Amino acid sequence: MGQKKDLTGSEKSKIVRYLAEGCSSLKIAKLLKRDHRTIKRFIQNSQQGRKKRVEKPRGKITAHELRKVKRAAAKMPLATSLAIFQSCNITGVPKSTRCAILRDMAKVRKAERRPPLNKTHKLKRQDWAKKYLKTDFSKVLWTDEMRVSLDGPDGWARGWIGKGQRAPVPLRRQQGGGGVLVWAGIIKGELVGPFRVEDGVKLNSQSYCKFLEDTFFKQWYRKKSASFKKNMIFMQDNAPSHASKYSTAWLARKGLKEEKLMTWPPCSSDLNPIENLWSIIKCEIYKEGKQYTSLNSVWEAVVAAARNVDGEQIKTLTESMDGRLLSVLAKKGGYIGR
């Protein structure tokens, strides 16, 4: 073998050509009459390529930059550490250092899912619990609407919140936004619906009552016995289309008035067992990151998921009401876990 120290340019070109032809490094060494280790070293170095120069990360920031970060964190609730530092034009700071700096002035929080309850809300929730404490909840029809989108429920943002600040409450669209609006009810161990609100229809008092007439009353309620109708209590929340004078009067003409129409306290979705049903359905239709290409396909998924909810699951939800009322009283009107 040759004893040359370095490969010449001609030899390097030949190595590349031989490799392209499928020759092994050992064969190339024999062809060029060079040491096998020299050939292997050249091939390995060529495959690794030149390493890029990496800028050394910064370990600390100046007092002036620290004040800028503090102001940015206050103005940008739920932002990431990277977004906060970039807004201050501070670069080269690794994530571990950014988070360590922010921990002294902020904390990681998720957006508040429920608005805070004031004193009036809590008192009304307690009064409601006391009023219905002896109610036979197997006779209550719990109703509500749910909106489903093509891409799943909005992810609750998680980011840095300055100390002493509250996480913002995100805007949750009840109507609009390109989804399917679904209405359903549960009573004892039975699911009523789900029924789909026509696309493009905004639920005001008139359209809400028409929707109930075409779905709930014609397709389910009218088939029930007189004794069932006499004892059933209809529950709905305080959405404007539900609680308006028009809707209240219309329901009264249908026989749902006074004791047969349950009053509802403000900010109390945690007390409605059908909210748990919506969670079950959403977990099913959006499992494994499932997304949909049309409103009809997501509606079909809702119907299929609803059919898979058995009567025992629904009965467990409706039978949880006694415990929910006791929890409200124990927490003096505060939110309960769902």
Side-chain angles (χ1 to χ4, degrees):
M1 292 287 182
Q3 299 299 317
K4 295 178 182 179
K5 186 175 182 181
D6 295 322
L7 292 168
T8 65
S10 175
E11 288 175 323
K12 291 178 181 178
S13 298
K14 289 180 180 179
I15 292 172
V16 174
R17 188 174 72 252
Y18 288 145
L19 286 172
E21 293 173 356
C23 296
S24 66
S25 59
L26 181 59
K27 184 176 181 180
I28 294 172
K30 290 180 180 180
L31 290 171
L32 297 180
K33 298 181 180 180
R34 295 299 300 262
D35 185 78
H36 183 215
R37 290 170 295 181
T38 303
I39 302 299
K40 286 185 68 175
R41 192 180 306 115
F42 169 75
I43 295 173
Q44 290 172 353
N45 291 340
S46 299
Q47 290 174 341
Q48 290 175 356
R50 296 181 62 185
K51 293 184 178 179
K52 293 183 179 179
R53 184 180 176 183
V54 179
E55 184 180 351
K56 187 177 181 180
R58 297 174 58 181
K60 56 178 68 175
I61 63 175
T62 66
H64 175 64
E65 290 175 328
L66 186 63
R67 289 193 293 271
K68 289 173 67 177
V69 169
K70 190 172 184 178
R71 288 195 295 268
K75 291 179 181 178
M76 303 168 61
L78 300 181
T80 63
S81 63
L82 179 60
I84 292 172
F85 274 68
Q86 285 179 338
S87 70
C88 302
N89 295 320
I90 303 173
T91 59
V93 182
K95 182 178 179 180
S96 58
T97 303
R98 296 196 305 264
C99 292
I101 292 170
L102 285 168
R103 284 190 196 101
D104 292 332
M105 64 183 75
K107 54 187 175 181
V108 176
R109 290 286 303 277
K110 286 186 177 181
E112 294 287 348
R113 299 192 66 167
R114 301 179 290 202
L117 295 172
N118 59 34
K119 186 177 180 180
T120 301
H121 294 154
K122 292 180 179 180
L123 288 174
K124 287 185 177 181
R125 284 164 61 91
Q126 290 182 79
D127 291 342
W128 178 86
K130 292 174 183 176
K131 177 179 179 180
Y132 291 102
L133 197 56
K134 297 182 179 180
T135 300
D136 181 359
F137 290 113
S138 66
K139 298 176 181 177
V140 177
L141 176 69
W142 307 93
T143 73
D144 193 23
E145 292 94 8
M146 168 186 70
R147 177 167 291 281
V148 289
S149 65
L150 301 181
D151 301 320
D154 295 334
W156 294 107
R158 182 185 180 92
W160 290 94
I161 292 292
K163 290 183 177 178
Q165 289 184 293
R166 290 191 64 88
V169 179
L171 176 63
R172 302 183 68 184
R173 294 182 297 233
Q174 178 71 12
Q175 297 163 12
V180 175
L181 189 60
V182 181
W183 182 97
I186 55 175
I187 181 169
K188 201 171 182 180
E190 183 179 358
L191 172 63
V192 181
F195 299 116
R196 177 179 178 177
V197 178
E198 185 179 348
D199 296 342
V201 172
K202 183 177 180 180
L203 281 188
N204 54 30
S205 300
Q206 290 77 13
S207 59
Y208 173 65
C209 293
K210 183 179 184 305
F211 170 80
L212 289 182
E213 176 65 35
D214 294 339
T215 55
F216 167 68
F217 281 103
K218 286 185 178 180
Q219 300 183 40
W220 186 82
Y221 188 73
R222 67 185 299 179
K223 299 176 183 178
K224 296 298 179 180
S225 65
S227 60
F228 176 89
K229 295 176 182 178
K230 180 180 179 181
N231 295 316
M232 191 198 80
I233 300 173
F234 187 83
M235 173 272 154
Q236 60 181 3
D237 62 22
N238 293 322
S241 59
H242 301 174
S244 68
K245 291 182 179 179
Y246 180 94
S247 298
T248 303
W250 186 85
L251 288 171
R253 291 196 295 273
K254 293 288 185 178
L256 301 179
K257 59 183 178 179
E258 299 173 352
E259 296 84 5
K260 291 177 58 59
L261 183 63
M262 179 177 282
T263 58
W264 195 249
C267 304
S268 297
S269 61
D270 58 322
L271 300 179
N272 190 351
I274 201 173
E275 294 288 347
N276 300 86
L277 175 68
W278 295 145
S279 297
I280 293 171
I281 291 176
K282 285 184 175 181
C283 285
E284 177 64 23
I285 66 175
Y286 296 122
K287 65 181 179 181
E288 300 178 355
K290 174 71 174 177
Q291 293 179 302
Y292 298 88
T293 57
S294 68
L295 297 181
N296 285 336
S297 62
V298 72
W299 164 245
E300 290 169 0
V302 169
V303 173
R307 287 173 181 165
N308 288 333
V309 179
D310 60 48
E312 287 302 315
Q313 285 179 286
I314 296 173
K315 191 175 181 181
T316 299
L317 296 179
T318 56
E319 289 181 347
S320 69
M321 287 310 302
D322 291 318
R324 297 185 193 224
L325 268 62
L326 293 174
S327 295
V328 170
L329 295 174
K331 294 190 175 185
K332 298 181 178 179
Y335 282 124
I336 65 172
R338 279 196 276 168

